[in-house]
Amino acid sequence: MSAILSADDLNDFISPGVACIKPIETLPTAPPPQSNEFEVILDGQQPTVNTNAPAQISLTDCLACSGCVTSAEAVLVSLQSHAEVLSTLDAAPALRIVGPDNNGKFTVEGLEDENAKLFVASVSPQTRANLAAACGGNTSDRDVAYMLDNLLKGPDGIANGGKWKNEFTWVVDTNTAREATLVLGSDEVFKAGQQGLATPSNPILASSCPGWVCYAEKTHPHVLPHLSKVKSPQALMGTLLKTTLSRLLNISPARIWHLAIMPCFDKKLEASREELTDQVWAGESSEGRGIRDVDCVITSKEILMLAESRGLDFFNIPKTPPTSSSSMPFPDANINKFLFPNRRSRNPVREAGSSGGLLYHILQSRAAQTPGAEIVTTRGRNVDVAEYSVVVDGEPVFRAARYYGFRNIQNLVRRLRPARPSRMPGGKPFGSARKPVGKAASLEYGYVEVMACPGGCTNGGGQIKVDDPIIMERKGSSGKPGPQEQKVWLAEIDEAYFSGEEAQLENGNGVYGDVVGGISRSYIYDILTHWVDVTGISLDRLAFTSYREVISDVGKDKTTDTERVVQLAGKIGGGW
């Protein structure tokens, strides 16, 4: 085992560092009246007890801080929880959409109340699979979709116990946004589609896992040029909803409240990124950090808490479409057809894995370019590592790989580290794969799918686990489940995920022949072009993002105590 692995004592889920610097740098906004701001302590005298309130650490603080790496269940803070969902719903009456009129226009009522918002939610397929496994009894992905619809926008859901009876106007499936990210990600790898965009260095690394991205930004900045610039399905859906609704309804994006239901706690961190706010796509400089494209993220576990907080048993919610009046159509017909197609967007096939299937779609796209091409899989050192080749006449023409779990990710980032020059006169570079100085090892891969969680996204940190009391009770388990029970439970989730109903391709009014994996590239680009036309914003600002190195100064602070006091005093308006 390498010295790096031994020193870090890595596990598959990395906890926050013990040297969190945020509480140290948090000072009271104003000293309490009639108190000594400076106090001299004499020998033998006990110092005055500090009565300052404990420091509050927000998700944005945690993401911006350079003090530690956060992943999966490590960030347990008060924001972005089921309690925030309920408090926001109960803050004021929701905005009401009226229309369409004879001209096809929609209007918004209730804008006079500045606290009123329009509520919209998006749900990941991994969450539905997890909840289906928790329900048991052959509950399907579609059944859970109806249950979530009834919970979020049905008359007997969370609206029934709320102060203002507010409900979500739309509940959308992130699978539709996932299809767009598959097409954009494939074009990014093969240098097709967008012109003028800087493409990442080879091998291109997946960037849809926020735990992996946060880890790379804070500990391995040498891999940042390799990260895919395509937004994740959560982020892309958030931008799509905020931009189109704000333009079509002529309201501020701050009046639109978007809830995402995800399998992973790290998605809360992704929602807090400054790169995923209106400051980026609107191109406007406003005060603060900007308006988030995703306002709140809750996980599969928190769905049960959300229902319980309103006195509901999620498992007893009807598995049929809501009985309320007909759903409000999305204000744009083309985007409405994209978000709510005549068929449900299917989950990827089993060979594509449980993390969205981008790697498999890239392989299929490359194989489709050459008649007779085959996809060959080579298993790696464990089940979470695999290599893939597109082979034509026995010769590989494209290589890719999959690395899941932090133990395997460590091996990947070490191989990508640039070689360092030797300090010996005439010595050869060392480290990495002994590539020329300053150049990273290419691994000969065109793309690598990287995910923080072993087994992929269906095993996310926010998923309901087999040892959770609710599952043990429903399964009648008496003792603590062991590894075999955990394996069986994950298999049940995967089965629910992969058993999505097959359906015929529905591409609006057009007929498209460039279909790969049930997804038409032409149709996706038609929708993206229409999105650009509706918003007046270029696609590079709508569908792509960026990353930045976060330099940790924990353990490297060489300033004296006096210098540190001066620095902190300056932060609150001091000056000596």
Side-chain angles (χ1 to χ4, degrees):
M1 181 178 290
S2 70
I4 296 178
L5 288 174
S6 299
D8 290 348
D9 190 23
L10 289 172
N11 205 334
D12 281 319
F13 300 101
I14 297 180
S15 298
V18 295
C20 182
I21 61 177
K22 188 65 186 176
I24 300 175
E25 295 186 351
T26 301
L27 298 178
T29 55
Q34 299 179 352
S35 64
N36 292 328
E37 191 169 352
F38 304 99
E39 184 177 8
V40 177
I41 306 299
L42 302 178
D43 290 343
Q45 181 181 353
Q46 296 296 324
T48 304
V49 177
N50 186 358
T51 58
N52 292 337
Q56 297 295 319
I57 304 175
S58 71
L59 282 170
T60 303
D61 293 330
C62 205
L63 186 64
C65 164
S66 60
C68 61
V69 175
T70 58
S71 178
E73 299 165 312
V75 185
L76 300 177
V77 291
S78 59
L79 295 181
Q80 298 200 49
S81 64
H82 70 286
E84 184 192 2
V85 177
L86 297 178
S87 63
T88 306
L89 286 169
D90 291 343
L95 295 178
R96 299 177 300 281
I97 309 298
V98 179
D101 58 17
N102 294 333
N103 297 321
K105 301 295 183 181
F106 292 77
T107 57
V108 182
E109 295 180 350
L111 289 171
E112 62 277 2
D113 188 337
E114 62 181 13
N115 293 319
K117 297 182 183 297
L118 177 66
F119 296 100
V120 59
S122 57
V123 184
S124 74
Q126 291 87 357
T127 291
R128 293 195 301 270
N130 184 235
L131 292 171
C135 291
N138 296 321
T139 302
S140 68
D141 175 279
R142 180 184 289 269
D143 292 336
V144 173
Y146 288 146
M147 294 170 73
L148 290 171
D149 282 350
N150 282 297
L151 175 68
L152 298 175
K153 66 176 187 177
D156 298 322
I158 56 177
N160 189 38
K163 179 179 180 180
W164 302 105
K165 307 295 183 182
N166 289 337
E167 61 184 35
F168 286 80
T169 304
W170 295 288
V171 178
V172 299
D173 182 359
T174 60
N175 259 337
T176 57
R178 178 186 64 84
E179 292 181 355
T181 63
L182 295 187
V183 171
L184 291 171
S186 177
D187 284 357
E188 182 182 50
V189 171
F190 299 119
K191 311 298 187 292
Q194 287 295 301
Q195 301 295 326
L197 286 177
T199 56
S201 304
N202 277 344
I204 295 179
L205 307 179
S207 61
S208 58
C209 173
W212 148 241
V213 170
C214 185
Y215 176 63
E217 288 181 324
K218 295 183 176 182
T219 62
H220 298 291
H222 65 276
V223 307
L224 297 185
H226 297 273
L227 290 182
S228 169
K229 298 181 185 298
V230 179
K231 288 182 178 179
S232 71
Q234 170 185 296
L236 190 70
M237 180 63 78
T239 307
L240 175 65
L241 294 173
K242 287 288 183 91
T243 55
T244 54
L245 288 174
S246 62
R247 293 292 199 271
L248 294 169
L249 301 176
N250 195 28
I251 60 176
S252 166
R255 306 302 294 270
I256 304 163
W257 201 80
H258 176 207
L259 169 70
I261 305 171
M262 294 288 144
C264 178
F265 285 114
D266 283 340
K267 285 295 183 179
K268 300 172 186 278
L269 287 177
E270 178 182 299
S272 300
R273 293 182 67 90
E274 293 182 23
E275 293 86 352
L276 301 176
T277 66
D278 69 326
Q279 286 186 332
V280 176
W281 51 260
E284 301 171 354
S285 58
S286 57
E287 295 182 0
R289 298 179 180 271
I291 300 167
R292 296 176 182 173
D293 293 338
V294 180
D295 296 280
C296 181
V297 176
I298 61 174
T299 63
S300 309
K301 288 182 179 181
E302 291 169 301
I303 280 291
L304 303 185
M305 301 177 189
L306 181 67
E308 185 178 2
S309 297
R310 287 290 203 231
L312 301 172
D313 183 349
F314 179 80
F315 302 106
N316 290 332
I317 294 177
K319 301 175 183 177
T320 55
T323 57
S324 58
S325 59
S326 59
S327 299
M328 172 65 63
F330 203 80
D332 181 90
N334 289 328
I335 297 178
N336 182 77
K337 188 168 293 185
F338 174 69
L339 294 176
F340 307 101
N342 293 337
R343 50 92 189 179
R344 290 187 59 83
S345 297
R346 65 179 184 180
N347 295 341
V349 297
R350 193 174 297 272
E351 293 81 1
S354 63
S355 299
L358 180 52
L359 170 61
Y360 190 70
H361 186 81
I362 290 171
L363 292 169
Q364 284 187 307
S365 298
R366 179 60 186 88
Q369 296 176 10
T370 308
E374 296 180 324
I375 299 175
V376 178
T377 304
T378 304
R379 179 171 172 173
R381 60 191 301 176
N382 55 60
V383 295
D384 285 319
V385 176
E387 296 185 353
Y388 302 85
S389 300
V390 177
V391 179
V392 178
D393 296 331
E395 293 295 328
V397 296
F398 180 78
R399 297 180 187 272
R402 180 187 69 202
Y403 281 76
Y404 288 178
F406 276 110
R407 292 186 186 275
N408 297 319
I409 290 174
Q410 278 291 311
N411 294 325
L412 173 67
V413 297
R414 280 206 313 275
R415 295 175 64 185
L416 283 171
R417 184 177 292 115
R420 292 172 292 173
S422 173
R423 295 182 180 180
M424 299 295 294
K428 295 182 179 181
F430 63 94
S432 185
R434 285 178 169 75
K435 296 289 180 180
V437 179
K439 295 186 178 180
S442 69
L443 307 182
E444 297 181 352
Y445 296 148
Y447 182 81
V448 183
E449 188 172 83
V450 186
M451 298 289 162
C453 294
C457 293
T458 52
N459 189 31
Q463 299 281 67
I464 304 168
K465 305 297 183 182
V466 69
D467 56 355
D468 285 343
I470 185 64
I471 299 302
M472 295 182 64
E473 177 182 346
R474 292 181 65 83
K475 288 182 171 291
S477 302
S478 56
K480 183 176 178 59
Q484 182 60 32
E485 288 79 7
Q486 172 71 9
K487 184 177 181 180
V488 171
W489 172 247
L490 292 178
E492 292 178 11
I493 300 174
D494 287 344
E495 183 60 32
Y497 179 77
F498 293 123
S499 62
E501 298 178 7
E502 294 288 338
Q504 296 296 320
L505 185 67
E506 169 61 44
N507 286 325
N509 297 322
V511 177
Y512 301 88
D514 57 344
V515 177
V516 175
I519 303 170
S520 167
R521 179 176 179 272
S522 298
Y523 173 66
I524 293 298
Y525 270 101
D526 282 351
I527 291 297
L528 295 175
T529 302
H530 181 70
W531 182 15
V532 170
D533 293 339
V534 168
T535 60
I537 305 171
S538 60
L539 188 61
D540 62 319
R541 286 193 288 158
L542 291 173
F544 298 86
T545 187
S546 60
Y547 314 95
R548 81 283 186 195
E549 177 183 359
V550 179
I551 301 175
S552 175
D553 52 13
V554 173
K556 303 176 183 178
D557 192 357
K558 305 300 183 182
T559 58
T560 64
D561 292 341
T562 302
E563 291 171 336
R564 186 168 181 79
V565 169
V566 172
Q567 293 171 0
L568 293 179
K571 291 185 177 182
I572 58 171
W576 298 341

